[in-house]
């Protein structure tokens, strides 16, 4: 049984288009550069947002002046709605993901909400890149906007290496 000329032409066209698509995709991907090394991801329900650290010192510990400036910069960015953000309902579950290097050094995450005015999402995590999920109702504050802070820190020395900030906007 032989293939018709039309079938051969159709198969050839699919191969040429497929090769062109793969080649174009490789060229596009290689022009994008390396992915950002330091990233944190906020997972809310089934959605996520990712950002680079607001405060980072090329892998060296932040000194006290840098940490204080970082907090002021974060407050200003939050007031100007310049932080990565996500809408949240109290029934959503919230988790944090970090890059592999941050996971190996150690990290923790918390919000400015909850009953005590600071609610933990992850405490002294080392070796893991995901916090697990926490019910949003235990993390949110009453203002409608909750700040999430992720900190890369060495648990032995208490040195801070990077800080990420997100905002949660409560939907009623």
């Amino acid at each position: 049984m032989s293939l018709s000329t039309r079938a051969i032409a159709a198969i050839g066209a699919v191969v040429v288009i497929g090769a062109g698509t793969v080649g174009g995709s490789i060229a596009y991907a290689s022009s994008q550069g390396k992915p950002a090394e330091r990233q944190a991801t906020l997972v809310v329900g089934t959605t996520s947002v990712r950002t680079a650290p607001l405060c980072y010192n090329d892998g060296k510990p932040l000194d006290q002046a840098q940490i204080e400036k970082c907090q002021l910069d974060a407050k200003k960015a939050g007031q100007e709605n310049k932080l990565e953000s996500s809408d949240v309902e109290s029934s959503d579950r919230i988790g944090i993901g970090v890059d592999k290097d941050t996971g190996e050094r150690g990290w923790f995450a918390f919000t400015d909400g909850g009953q005590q005015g600071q609610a933990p999402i992850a405490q002294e995590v080392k070796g893991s890149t995901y916090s697990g999920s926490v019910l949003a109702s235990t993390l949110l504050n009453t203002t409608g906007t909750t700040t999430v802070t992720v900190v890369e820190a060495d648990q032995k020395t208490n040195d801070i290496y990077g800080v990420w900030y997100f905002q949660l906007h409560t939907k009623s």
Side-chain angles (χ1 to χ4, degrees):
M1 174 182 279
S2 66
L3 290 173
S4 72
T5 305
R6 285 179 119 173
I8 292 172
I11 292 170
V14 168
V15 169
V16 169
I17 290 171
T21 301
V22 169
S25 298
I26 291 169
Y28 175 78
S30 65
S31 72
Q32 297 305 301
K34 290 175 27 178
E37 292 181 15
R38 295 287 186 214
Q39 294 278 313
T41 305
L42 172 69
V43 179
V44 178
T46 59
T47 63
S48 65
V49 292
R50 179 181 301 207
T51 193
L54 184 65
C55 310
Y56 188 69
N57 188 23
D58 294 324
K60 296 178 227 125
L62 298 169
D63 62 32
Q64 190 58 41
Q66 290 170 316
I67 292 169
E68 289 170 11
K69 182 180 182 317
C70 181
Q71 291 170 336
L72 292 173
D73 290 347
K75 184 175 182 178
K76 182 179 179 188
Q79 291 169 342
E80 296 173 354
N81 290 320
K82 291 185 178 179
L83 297 176
E84 284 294 329
S85 64
S86 182
D87 292 337
V88 63
E89 294 183 20
S90 61
S91 61
D92 285 333
R93 297 196 69 80
I94 296 174
I96 300 292
V98 297
D99 60 87
K100 182 181 175 198
D101 291 338
T102 299
E104 287 176 1
R105 177 170 281 144
W107 61 281
F108 59 93
F110 59 93
T111 72
D112 63 352
Q115 293 180 351
Q116 305 298 318
Q118 184 173 353
I121 299 173
Q123 298 177 355
E124 297 183 16
V125 179
K126 185 166 176 133
S128 178
T129 59
Y130 187 69
S131 69
S133 296
V134 179
L135 188 60
S137 63
T138 64
L139 302 173
L140 302 175
N141 66 38
T142 58
T143 66
T145 300
T146 302
T147 301
V148 176
T149 306
V150 181
V151 180
E152 178 182 359
D154 185 313
Q155 296 163 11
K156 292 179 184 171
T157 64
N158 291 324
D159 287 332
I160 294 175
Y161 290 85
V163 185
W164 296 258
Y165 291 92
F166 298 93
Q167 282 188 325
L168 296 170
H169 300 288
T170 306
K171 295 296 175 188
S172 12

